[in-house]
Amino acid sequence: MADDRTLTPRAEDFSAWYNELVLRAELADHSPVRGSMVIRPWGYGIWENMQRALDDMFKATGHENAYFPLLIPMSFIEREKEHVEGFKPELAVVTHAGGKELEEPLVIRPTSETVIYSMFAKWVQSYRDLPILMNQWANVMRWELRTRLFLRTSEFLWQEGHTAHASEPEAEEETRRMLEVYRQFMQDWIAMPVVTGLKSESEKFAGALRTYTCEAMMQDGKALQAGTSHNLGQNFSKQFELTFQNEEGVEAFAWNTSWGVSTRLVGGLVMTHGDDDGLVLPPRLAPVQVVVVPIFRKEEERTAVVERAHQIRSRLQEAGVRVRVDDRDHLNPGAKFWEWERKGVPLRIEIGPRDLAKNQVVLVRRVTPEGADRKAFLDENEALASIPGRLEEFQRYLLERAVESREARSHRGVNSIEELQALVDAPGGGFVYTGWSGDPEVERRIQETTKATLRCIPDPAFRSETPPERCIGGDAPSKMEVVWAKAY
RNA sequence: CGGGGCGUGGCGCAGCUCGGUAGCGCGCCUGCUUUGGGAGCAGGAGGUCCCCGGUUCGAAUCCGGGCGCCCCGACCA
C-alpha cells in the first residue's frame, strides 16, 4: 500500500491499485480460508442492488426463482462427459459426514446443471409442461489456484438461470434473449459497455452446444468475461432423461439453456470506473447515492446545521434518493470527504453555517469532466430538486466515459500476428479485431505466442464496417471477424 | 504447480546484518481546543515478535524444521 491515505496509482501498478481499493473501500476482505473472501456491507450493498435489478429483469422475461441444494452426487457431475472434464480439477468434494466416510462422495456445486436437469426430468412429461424458466441465486465453489477478490475466488455468489424448451430454436432464442438482458443490465446499471458474441469451441462452457458472452474492457486494457449464456442443446437432457411427449405424442428430449453472472461484476465495476482516489460508483448501483456532510464550528451552529442536514435527507428520501448524513463528530469534514470519495459515493452535499445563511448548499460530484468546476454553490431547493436528474446525468457520464475508453483501446483491421502481439503487449492493451478462418490451430498458436485469447466472435452490432479478408493466422481467407485480448 | 516476497499492538512498517529493557506512523480511549479538503496539544490503553525445536547466561534477532498469507507466472468456462 502506498501509505495510509493514498492508493498506488493505476498507472504505476494496476493490480496493486485494484487490491488496495477493494480493501480500503471496504468492499471485501480476505477470509481465513485461502482464496475465499468476506463481502463487506459496502460491497454487498452493491451486489444487492445488482441482484434487485437483474431479478426484476428475469421476472419481466418470465422467469421464476427456486433453490437447489449445495451438494451434488459425484455421479451426477460425471454423467456428462465434457462437463466433468471441464470441472473435475476445480471440484471440492465432501467425503466424510456424520463421522463416517460417505458411500458416494458429494460435490460442492461448481454450477447446478446436473441436479437441476435431473429434477426437471421428474417434473416434465408433456410439451404442455414446457418451457420451464427458472433461476436461482446461490453460492458456488470452484477450487482456484490463483485468486483475486471478486474477480476469481473459490466461493462466489451468482445467479444461474436454467431453462427447458420443446424446440431448438426456442432454446436458442432464450439463450440470445438472456445475453441481451445481461448486455442491457451492464450498460444501463453498471455503465459498463460490453461486446457480445459467440465463444470459440475452445472457450465455450463444458457441456454446451454454444456459449455467448459479454466481454468488458477494463482500464488496464484487459478483457473481463462479465457474463455468459449457454445453449446446452440436448446434452444434459439426454444424460438425465429429461424427455417429454410432443404434440404428435412422440417422446423427445428437451432443449436446455443456462446463463449466469456473478459477484465478479463488482470487480468489473471497480476496474471500469475507479480512479486513483478510489471507487467510483454508478448512481443506480450505489448503496448511498448522496452523502450529506454537515460543517460547523460552534455548538449552536452544529445544532442548526445537523438539523438541516437531516431535513435534506428526508426530502431526498421522499424523492427516492438513497442518502446518508455523516454527522460523526470525531472526524473533520475533509476526512469525511476523502472517505466517501474512496467509497465512490456519486454526489456529496456540504452544508455549513454560511450555506444556511444563504439558503444554499455546496454540491460536489465524485468525478467531473476535464475543466469543469468540481464544486457547485446552489440554491438549496433548486439543488435538491435537481438531484435525481443529476444522478442520471452522472450515470450517463460514466457510461460515455467507459465507451470512449473502450473505443480508445479497440483496434480494428489488424492483419498480422506481430501487430496483434504489439497491440496487446502495449501498456493500454485492448481489444484487437482480426479475421479468422475458424481453424482452432490458429487460435491455439496465437494464444501461445501472444498470451491473448480469442474473446469472442462478435455479434453484428460490434463488427467492423469492412469485414476482414484474410485470416490472422496466414493466407487463408477469413470466415469471420474475431476479437482478441489479454483477459482476466 | 513453479518463482519471488512477507509473517512484530487494529492497520502500515522499522528493529534482525553485529543476540542484551520491543519501537515508529496511523488508528483506538480520556480531556481540552478544533471542524469549508485527510485537525492540534496533553495524557493513556493495547504485544504468546506465526508455530515447534535447538544454540546461548540471555533469541524478534543465530541454526533446523513446519505453517500461513500475498504477489508474479503456468493452469482455468
Side-chain angles (χ1 to χ4, degrees):
Chain A
M1 217 158 285
D3 59 47
D4 286 330
R5 291 180 168 174
T6 58
L7 301 174
T8 299
R10 288 162 295 174
E12 188 183 315
D13 184 342
F14 193 82
S15 180
W17 167 82
Y18 175 85
N19 293 330
E20 290 168 14
L21 189 157
V22 168
L23 295 173
R24 295 274 304 282
E26 297 180 357
L27 296 176
D29 205 346
H30 296 283
S31 92
V33 176
R34 177 193 166 81
S36 56
M37 69 169 166
V38 176
I39 304 176
R40 301 182 66 177
W42 194 248
Y44 200 79
I46 296 167
W47 176 241
E48 283 181 312
N49 288 335
M50 288 182 174
Q51 278 186 301
R52 199 168 298 125
L54 281 165
D55 204 62
D56 286 347
M57 294 169 94
F58 298 156
K59 301 278 169 60
T61 41
H63 302 84
E64 294 177 304
N65 284 330
Y67 185 78
F68 293 80
L70 175 72
L71 297 174
I72 297 176
M74 180 61 106
S75 59
F76 276 38
I77 301 284
E78 286 167 345
R79 200 95 50 105
E80 214 282 338
K81 192 167 146 284
E82 287 181 45
H83 195 59
V84 64
E85 293 290 315
F87 283 109
K88 196 111 196 196
E90 36 192 286
L91 292 180
V93 182
V94 179
T95 56
H96 290 71
K100 285 192 293 194
E101 182 164 2
L102 297 170
E103 270 183 44
E104 180 182 356
L106 299 172
V107 169
I108 300 176
R109 63 178 163 222
T111 177
S112 304
E113 274 76 8
T114 57
V115 66
I116 289 180
Y117 301 133
S118 77
M119 295 306 294
F120 280 13
K122 282 177 74 171
W123 302 334
V124 172
Q125 276 92 47
S126 146
Y127 70 93
R128 292 197 176 91
D129 299 323
L130 296 174
I132 297 185
L133 304 174
M134 225 174 258
N135 177 65
Q136 82 164 342
W137 292 95
N139 56 340
V140 286
M141 176 161 280
R142 299 173 190 183
W143 210 255
E144 300 287 354
L145 293 172
R146 181 159 174 210
T147 58
R148 303 198 56 196
L149 295 175
F150 289 112
L151 298 174
R152 177 173 278 109
T153 49
S154 292
E155 180 186 355
F156 56 91
L157 304 182
W158 77 343
Q159 58 71 216
E160 46 181 322
H162 293 277
T163 68
H165 306 265
S167 73
E168 208 279 339
E170 213 182 285
E172 178 67 9
E173 190 189 335
E174 168 77 2
T175 311
R176 297 292 320 197
R177 177 185 302 120
M178 298 322 287
L179 185 79
E180 176 59 16
V181 163
Y182 287 157
R183 191 198 63 74
Q184 199 83 41
F185 167 76
M186 291 169 196
Q187 174 185 291
D188 293 348
W189 291 78
I190 313 180
M192 180 174 79
V194 293
V195 172
T196 61
L198 182 68
K199 282 290 189 189
S200 66
E201 276 299 298
S202 72
E203 296 276 337
K204 75 173 189 188
F205 173 73
L209 214 58
R210 279 187 286 284
T211 291
Y212 295 97
T213 182
C214 295
E215 298 286 325
M217 178 46 59
M218 304 294 100
Q219 290 183 62
D220 62 345
K222 286 169 80 173
L224 182 76
Q225 179 177 299
T228 47
S229 183
H230 316 289
N231 184 334
L232 303 173
Q234 296 174 310
N235 290 347
F236 288 91
S237 67
K238 282 179 179 166
Q239 296 312 317
F240 291 91
E241 292 172 56
L242 171 45
T243 60
F244 66 99
Q245 266 195 322
N246 66 19
E247 287 171 69
E248 287 85 45
V250 178
E251 189 92 344
F253 290 109
W255 301 81
N256 298 116
T257 82
S258 70
W259 26 275
V261 296
S262 73
T263 39
R264 180 178 239 208
L265 288 175
V266 177
L269 186 163
V270 170
M271 292 192 292
T272 299
H273 301 301
D275 65 20
D276 290 347
D277 292 328
L279 184 59
V280 175
L281 286 168
R284 299 183 81 180
L285 292 175
V288 173
Q289 296 169 309
V290 178
V291 63
V292 183
V293 178
I295 295 158
F296 47 82
R297 292 166 196 271
K298 309 186 211 76
E299 198 54 33
E300 315 88 79
E301 288 176 349
R302 177 198 159 88
T303 315
V305 167
V306 169
E307 191 192 325
R308 181 67 65 93
H310 282 98
Q311 281 170 12
I312 289 172
R313 185 190 59 185
S314 307
R315 289 172 64 186
L316 286 175
Q317 273 172 345
E318 278 165 31
V321 178
R322 295 188 287 274
V323 199
R324 184 178 299 182
V325 175
D326 188 350
D327 56 6
R328 292 176 294 178
D329 58 9
H330 64 290
L331 295 177
N332 70 17
K336 295 176 183 177
F337 298 165
W338 286 106
E339 177 172 332
W340 292 110
E341 281 175 21
R342 193 186 318 121
K343 292 184 131 185
V345 172
L347 293 180
R348 176 174 74 238
I349 291 175
E350 306 171 8
I351 179 149
R354 297 209 290 267
D355 305 307
L356 279 199
K358 290 188 262 180
N359 264 320
Q360 69 166 28
V361 296
V362 179
L363 193 63
V364 187
R365 244 163 78 127
R366 175 61 181 77
V367 282
T368 42
E370 199 76 22
D373 284 336
R374 224 164 112 57
K375 296 199 177 190
F377 299 81
L378 302 166
D379 171 74
E380 183 180 310
N381 289 329
E382 218 172 284
L384 296 194
S386 73
I387 295 267
R390 284 171 191 270
L391 289 170
E392 279 306 309
E393 156 57 24
F394 189 68
Q395 181 87 25
R396 273 197 300 278
Y397 170 69
L398 290 184
L399 178 63
E400 275 168 31
R401 198 172 70 151
V403 170
E404 278 170 26
S405 165
R406 182 193 62 190
E407 289 312 304
R409 294 166 209 284
S410 295
H411 313 281
R412 292 176 185 270
V414 172
N415 281 312
S416 73
I417 298 182
E418 293 70 35
E419 201 184 339
L420 165 64
Q421 172 122 49
L423 286 166
V424 297
D425 283 346
F431 285 138
V432 179
Y433 290 70
T434 77
W436 187 40
S437 62
D439 180 0
E441 180 53 28
V442 169
E443 181 186 6
R444 196 197 56 75
R445 201 171 80 232
I446 289 179
Q447 189 165 331
E448 207 163 88
T449 56
T450 67
K451 305 297 175 202
T453 50
L454 204 170
R455 301 316 303 159
C456 70
I457 299 150
D459 287 332
F462 303 97
R463 288 180 202 155
S464 306
E465 280 174 35
T466 17
E469 288 172 13
R470 275 181 47 241
C471 172
I472 179 80
D475 292 326
S478 168
K479 289 201 184 124
M480 62 198 96
E481 184 169 30
V482 293
V483 182
W484 305 88
K486 288 188 178 171
Y488 277 95

